[in-house]
PDB file of all heavy atoms in Angstrom:
ATOM      1  N   GLU A  77     -19.722  -8.135   2.608  1.00 97.00           N
ATOM      2  CA  GLU A  77     -20.736  -8.727   3.474  1.00 97.00           C
ATOM      3  C   GLU A  77     -21.346  -9.972   2.824  1.00 97.00           C
ATOM      4  O   GLU A  77     -21.563 -10.994   3.494  1.00 97.00           O
ATOM      5  CB  GLU A  77     -21.813  -7.686   3.780  1.00 97.00           C
ATOM      6  CG  GLU A  77     -21.280  -6.517   4.604  1.00 97.00           C
ATOM      7  CD  GLU A  77     -22.314  -5.424   4.817  1.00 97.00           C
ATOM      8  OE1 GLU A  77     -23.494  -5.628   4.437  1.00 97.00           O
ATOM      9  OE2 GLU A  77     -21.955  -4.361   5.360  1.00 97.00           O
ATOM     10  N   ASP A  78     -21.594  -9.899   1.518  1.00 98.00           N
ATOM     11  CA  ASP A  78     -22.175 -11.049   0.817  1.00 98.00           C
ATOM     12  C   ASP A  78     -21.229 -12.253   0.830  1.00 98.00           C
ATOM     13  O   ASP A  78     -21.670 -13.400   0.994  1.00 98.00           O
ATOM     14  CB  ASP A  78     -22.502 -10.679  -0.634  1.00 98.00           C
ATOM     15  CG  ASP A  78     -23.646  -9.676  -0.738  1.00 98.00           C
ATOM     16  OD1 ASP A  78     -24.401  -9.531   0.243  1.00 98.00           O
ATOM     17  OD2 ASP A  78     -23.768  -9.042  -1.803  1.00 98.00           O
ATOM     18  N   ARG A  79     -19.929 -11.995   0.650  1.00 97.00           N
ATOM     19  CA  ARG A  79     -18.948 -13.084   0.611  1.00 97.00           C
ATOM     20  C   ARG A  79     -18.528 -13.524   2.007  1.00 97.00           C
ATOM     21  O   ARG A  79     -17.831 -14.526   2.174  1.00 97.00           O
ATOM     22  CB  ARG A  79     -17.686 -12.650  -0.171  1.00 97.00           C
ATOM     23  CG  ARG A  79     -17.923 -12.200  -1.603  1.00 97.00           C
ATOM     24  CD  ARG A  79     -18.610 -13.247  -2.439  1.00 97.00           C
ATOM     25  NE  ARG A  79     -17.810 -14.475  -2.563  1.00 97.00           N
ATOM     26  CZ  ARG A  79     -18.277 -15.582  -3.130  1.00 97.00           C
ATOM     27  NH1 ARG A  79     -19.518 -15.619  -3.583  1.00 97.00           N
ATOM     28  NH2 ARG A  79     -17.509 -16.646  -3.222  1.00 97.00           N
ATOM     29  N   ARG A  80     -18.874 -12.731   3.007  1.00 97.00           N
ATOM     30  CA  ARG A  80     -18.533 -13.011   4.405  1.00 97.00           C
ATOM     31  C   ARG A  80     -17.024 -13.116   4.618  1.00 97.00           C
ATOM     32  O   ARG A  80     -16.545 -13.947   5.389  1.00 97.00           O
ATOM     33  CB  ARG A  80     -19.246 -14.280   4.890  1.00 97.00           C
ATOM     34  CG  ARG A  80     -20.752 -14.153   4.824  1.00 97.00           C
ATOM     35  CD  ARG A  80     -21.453 -15.277   5.531  1.00 97.00           C
ATOM     36  NE  ARG A  80     -22.903 -15.091   5.470  1.00 97.00           N
ATOM     37  CZ  ARG A  80     -23.793 -15.841   6.111  1.00 97.00           C
ATOM     38  NH1 ARG A  80     -23.373 -16.846   6.877  1.00 97.00           N
ATOM     39  NH2 ARG A  80     -25.076 -15.614   5.992  1.00 97.00           N
ATOM     40  N   TRP A  81     -16.297 -12.241   3.941  1.00 97.00           N
ATOM     41  CA  TRP A  81     -14.865 -12.161   4.211  1.00 97.00           C
ATOM     42  C   TRP A  81     -14.675 -11.568   5.605  1.00 97.00           C
ATOM     43  O   TRP A  81     -15.334 -10.579   5.954  1.00 97.00           O
ATOM     44  CB  TRP A  81     -14.180 -11.251   3.197  1.00 97.00           C
ATOM     45  CG  TRP A  81     -14.009 -11.829   1.823  1.00 97.00           C
ATOM     46  CD1 TRP A  81     -14.642 -12.898   1.284  1.00 97.00           C
ATOM     47  CD2 TRP A  81     -13.135 -11.324   0.801  1.00 97.00           C
ATOM     48  NE1 TRP A  81     -14.232 -13.105  -0.007  1.00 97.00           N
ATOM     49  CE2 TRP A  81     -13.296 -12.160  -0.328  1.00 97.00           C
ATOM     50  CE3 TRP A  81     -12.235 -10.269   0.735  1.00 97.00           C
ATOM     51  CZ2 TRP A  81     -12.604 -11.947  -1.525  1.00 97.00           C
ATOM     52  CZ3 TRP A  81     -11.539 -10.052  -0.441  1.00 97.00           C
ATOM     53  CH2 TRP A  81     -11.713 -10.891  -1.555  1.00 97.00           C
ATOM     54  N   PRO A  82     -13.751 -12.099   6.393  1.00 97.00           N
ATOM     55  CA  PRO A  82     -13.540 -11.578   7.750  1.00 97.00           C
ATOM     56  C   PRO A  82     -12.647 -10.328   7.791  1.00 97.00           C
ATOM     57  O   PRO A  82     -11.766 -10.196   8.652  1.00 97.00           O
ATOM     58  CB  PRO A  82     -12.881 -12.759   8.462  1.00 97.00           C
ATOM     59  CG  PRO A  82     -12.107 -13.451   7.380  1.00 97.00           C
ATOM     60  CD  PRO A  82     -12.964 -13.325   6.145  1.00 97.00           C
ATOM     61  N   VAL A  83     -12.889  -9.431   6.869  1.00 98.00           N
ATOM     62  CA  VAL A  83     -12.087  -8.202   6.771  1.00 98.00           C
ATOM     63  C   VAL A  83     -12.409  -7.278   7.941  1.00 98.00           C
ATOM     64  O   VAL A  83     -13.576  -7.093   8.298  1.00 98.00           O
ATOM     65  CB  VAL A  83     -12.363  -7.495   5.424  1.00 98.00           C
ATOM     66  CG1 VAL A  83     -11.937  -6.039   5.465  1.00 98.00           C
ATOM     67  CG2 VAL A  83     -11.639  -8.224   4.298  1.00 98.00           C
ATOM     68  N   THR A  84     -11.368  -6.717   8.535  1.00 98.00           N
ATOM     69  CA  THR A  84     -11.541  -5.756   9.628  1.00 98.00           C
ATOM     70  C   THR A  84     -11.066  -4.359   9.259  1.00 98.00           C
ATOM     71  O   THR A  84     -11.393  -3.396   9.953  1.00 98.00           O
ATOM     72  CB  THR A  84     -10.761  -6.217  10.873  1.00 98.00           C
ATOM     73  OG1 THR A  84      -9.369  -6.358  10.535  1.00 98.00           O
ATOM     74  CG2 THR A  84     -11.284  -7.557  11.383  1.00 98.00           C
ATOM     75  N   GLU A  85     -10.302  -4.249   8.157  1.00 98.00           N
ATOM     76  CA  GLU A  85      -9.671  -2.980   7.808  1.00 98.00           C
ATOM     77  C   GLU A  85      -9.916  -2.641   6.338  1.00 98.00           C
ATOM     78  O   GLU A  85      -9.781  -3.489   5.458  1.00 98.00           O
ATOM     79  CB  GLU A  85      -8.164  -3.079   8.065  1.00 98.00           C
ATOM     80  CG  GLU A  85      -7.377  -1.842   7.675  1.00 98.00           C
ATOM     81  CD  GLU A  85      -5.879  -2.071   7.818  1.00 98.00           C
ATOM     82  OE1 GLU A  85      -5.332  -2.963   7.115  1.00 98.00           O
ATOM     83  OE2 GLU A  85      -5.254  -1.359   8.619  1.00 98.00           O
ATOM     84  N   ILE A  86     -10.266  -1.384   6.092  1.00 98.00           N
ATOM     85  CA  ILE A  86     -10.349  -0.849   4.739  1.00 98.00           C
ATOM     86  C   ILE A  86      -9.203   0.148   4.577  1.00 98.00           C
ATOM     87  O   ILE A  86      -9.024   1.045   5.404  1.00 98.00           O
ATOM     88  CB  ILE A  86     -11.691  -0.142   4.480  1.00 98.00           C
ATOM     89  CG1 ILE A  86     -12.856  -1.101   4.731  1.00 98.00           C
ATOM     90  CG2 ILE A  86     -11.727   0.412   3.055  1.00 98.00           C
ATOM     91  CD1 ILE A  86     -12.897  -2.313   3.838  1.00 98.00           C
ATOM     92  N   GLY A  87      -8.410  -0.035   3.512  1.00 98.00           N
ATOM     93  CA  GLY A  87      -7.267   0.843   3.259  1.00 98.00           C
ATOM     94  C   GLY A  87      -7.488   1.669   2.008  1.00 98.00           C
ATOM     95  O   GLY A  87      -8.062   1.197   1.022  1.00 98.00           O
ATOM     96  N   PHE A  88      -7.024   2.914   2.047  1.00 98.00           N
ATOM     97  CA  PHE A  88      -7.088   3.797   0.885  1.00 98.00           C
ATOM     98  C   PHE A  88      -5.682   4.269   0.536  1.00 98.00           C
ATOM     99  O   PHE A  88      -4.948   4.777   1.395  1.00 98.00           O
ATOM    100  CB  PHE A  88      -7.985   5.005   1.163  1.00 98.00           C
ATOM    101  CG  PHE A  88      -9.429   4.638   1.365  1.00 98.00           C
ATOM    102  CD1 PHE A  88      -9.959   4.517   2.647  1.00 98.00           C
ATOM    103  CD2 PHE A  88     -10.263   4.392   0.285  1.00 98.00           C
ATOM    104  CE1 PHE A  88     -11.283   4.169   2.845  1.00 98.00           C
ATOM    105  CE2 PHE A  88     -11.596   4.037   0.469  1.00 98.00           C
ATOM    106  CZ  PHE A  88     -12.102   3.929   1.750  1.00 98.00           C
ATOM    107  N   THR A  89      -5.317   4.069  -0.721  1.00 97.00           N
ATOM    108  CA  THR A  89      -4.009   4.484  -1.191  1.00 97.00           C
ATOM    109  C   THR A  89      -4.172   5.189  -2.528  1.00 97.00           C
ATOM    110  O   THR A  89      -5.273   5.323  -3.047  1.00 97.00           O
ATOM    111  CB  THR A  89      -3.055   3.273  -1.290  1.00 97.00           C
ATOM    112  OG1 THR A  89      -1.750   3.709  -1.674  1.00 97.00           O
ATOM    113  CG2 THR A  89      -3.552   2.235  -2.295  1.00 97.00           C
ATOM    114  N   GLY A  90      -3.085   5.654  -3.108  1.00 95.00           N
ATOM    115  CA  GLY A  90      -3.149   6.356  -4.383  1.00 95.00           C
ATOM    116  C   GLY A  90      -1.903   6.089  -5.180  1.00 95.00           C
ATOM    117  O   GLY A  90      -1.332   4.995  -5.083  1.00 95.00           O
TER     118      GLY A  90
END
Side-chain angles (χ1 to χ4, degrees):
E77 294 175 7
D78 292 342
R79 302 303 298 173
R80 299 191 178 187
W81 286 17
V83 161
T84 58
E85 177 186 62
I86 303 298
F88 294 99
T89 184

